[in-house]
Amino acid sequence: MENYDRIVEKISKKSGLEKEEIERRIEAKRAKLSGLISREGAAQVVAAELGISFDNEKLKLEELLPGMRKVNTVGKVMNVSPVRTFKTKKGDDGKVVNLFIADDTSNIKVVLWDTNHISLVENKKIGEGIVVEIANGAMRENELHLGSFSEIKITNETINEVNTGKVFRTKNISELKNSDNARVRAFIVQSFEPRFFYVCPSCRKKAVQENGNFTCAEHGKVAGEKRALMNVILDDGTETIRAVAFHDNLKDLGITEFENPGEMIVQKENMLGREMAFYGIMRNNKMFNTPEFIIERAEEIDADLLISELENN
Ligand SMILES: [Zn+2]
C-alpha cells in the first residue's frame, strides 16, 4: 500500500468519514492551493481540520512526513555517524550525532541534539543492530530530530526485515530540493537530441577517445561501449524541470533505437505527452549551474489507480 493510501485510511478510521470523502477533501485542498502542496501534505491539512492528530501514535517509518510533531516510532539502528562538535550561537560547545534507522517499510536519518541521548551513543549502549524506540521527535524536512523533550531508548522489540533501500518520497516538482530522492508524477513535455559517450566495459567509467582508440584511466586501452543520455522536460502542473535519463533508463521511456535515427524520432514523438512516475535524485548540473533531476527509473502510472482517481474527481 502506498503511503498516501495508508494516511487516507487512518484519517477515515479516526474521523468515521468514507475514504472517498476524505480524498475529495484532499483534492479540494490541493485545488485551492493550486497544486502547490503534495497529496500527503494536503492529507495532513485535512486531518488537522478534522481535529485528528497522529500525535502519540506509533508510526511506521514510511508514514513519517515533513512537518509532523510528537513523532513516535521504532527502528533498528543501521549506522551511526561520528559525534560532531560545534559552537552554539552563545559560544557553548554543542554536539550532534546522526543515526540511520530502518524498519520493514523504510529508513530515515535521526538527528540527536541532546547530550543525554548522545551519551548513549558514546557509551556504546546505542549502536548498530540495536532496536530503539523514539518518542516525541519532530520531523524537519525528511529527517527525524530529537531534542531535550524527546526520548530514545533501547527496546526489546525485534525487527527482522529492514528496508534499507533508497527512499523515494513523492513530491511535486516545485518542492524538489538538491539531493532529494523523490518520486515525481509528471508529463514529458519536451525532449532533446540524445547525446552519446563511451564507457570502459570493466569499470563503467568514461573512456576517452583518441585516434579511434579508447582508454580508461584505470584499465588502459579498452573497447569503448557506446552509451546514450537524453534530456527531457517534465511538467507536473506545479513547475517544470529538466531531467536526464541514461542509457538503461531510457528504455523505461520507450527509447531503444539508438542506432536507427528514423525509429528514434518515432520513439521520441511517442514519448511526448506521456505521464509517468519518475524516480530519481535532484542534482545541480555543474556545467549549467541549474537543478536537474536524474531519472533512475520510470514507471507507467497504474491504469486502475488512474481510473479510480478520475472517478473520484
Ligand atoms: Zn576501466
Side-chain angles (χ1 to χ4, degrees), residues 151-162:
E151 269 179 59
I152 180 167
K153 62 179 185 197
I154 297 153
T155 162
N156 47 23
E157 272 186 55
T158 51
I159 294 179
N160 296 320
E161 260 182 63
V162 283

Side-chain angles (χ1 to χ4, degrees), residues 200 203 216 219:
C200 162
C203 65
C216 165
H219 296 99

Side-chain angles (χ1 to χ4, degrees), residues 200 202-205 216-219 222:
C200 162
S202 312
C203 65
R204 302 262 152 231
K205 283 183 187 146
C216 165
E218 196 185 331
H219 296 99
V222 291

Side-chain angles (χ1 to χ4, degrees), residues 46 66 85 108 116 271 304 307:
V46 169
T85 54
I108 197 164
N116 293 319
M271 185 174 74
D304 292 337
I307 289 163

Side-chain angles (χ1 to χ4, degrees), residues 100-103 105-108 162-168 181:
F100 175 64
I101 66 166
D103 68 6
T105 65
S106 189
N107 51 74
I108 197 164
V162 283
N163 179 355
T164 53
K166 210 183 260 184
V167 179
F168 295 95
N181 286 313

Side-chain angles (χ1 to χ4, degrees), residues 203-249:
C203 65
R204 302 262 152 231
K205 283 183 187 146
K206 200 169 179 180
V208 182
Q209 192 171 12
E210 250 180 17
N211 312 322
N213 292 318
F214 294 96
T215 23
C216 165
E218 196 185 331
H219 296 99
K221 201 170 161 187
V222 291
E225 260 183 41
K226 194 178 182 183
R227 315 296 274 168
L229 72 82
M230 190 186 277
N231 282 104
V232 293
I233 304 287
L234 303 180
D235 187 340
D236 72 347
T238 67
E239 221 171 81
T240 61
I241 186 135
R242 193 181 174 93
V244 58
F246 288 89
H247 210 84
D248 297 323
N249 307 325

Side-chain angles (χ1 to χ4, degrees), residues 290-310:
T290 49
E292 184 174 63
F293 189 70
I294 316 280
I295 298 169
E296 295 186 6
R297 191 170 93 230
E299 274 175 7
E300 297 287 341
I301 303 287
D302 186 333
D304 292 337
L305 190 74
L306 205 62
I307 289 163
S308 78
E309 279 181 13
L310 288 171

Side-chain angles (χ1 to χ4, degrees), residues 159-178:
I159 294 179
N160 296 320
E161 260 182 63
V162 283
N163 179 355
T164 53
K166 210 183 260 184
V167 179
F168 295 95
R169 291 177 198 274
T170 302
K171 288 205 166 187
N172 291 330
I173 291 176
S174 60
E175 297 171 316
L176 294 175
K177 292 198 186 72
N178 197 21

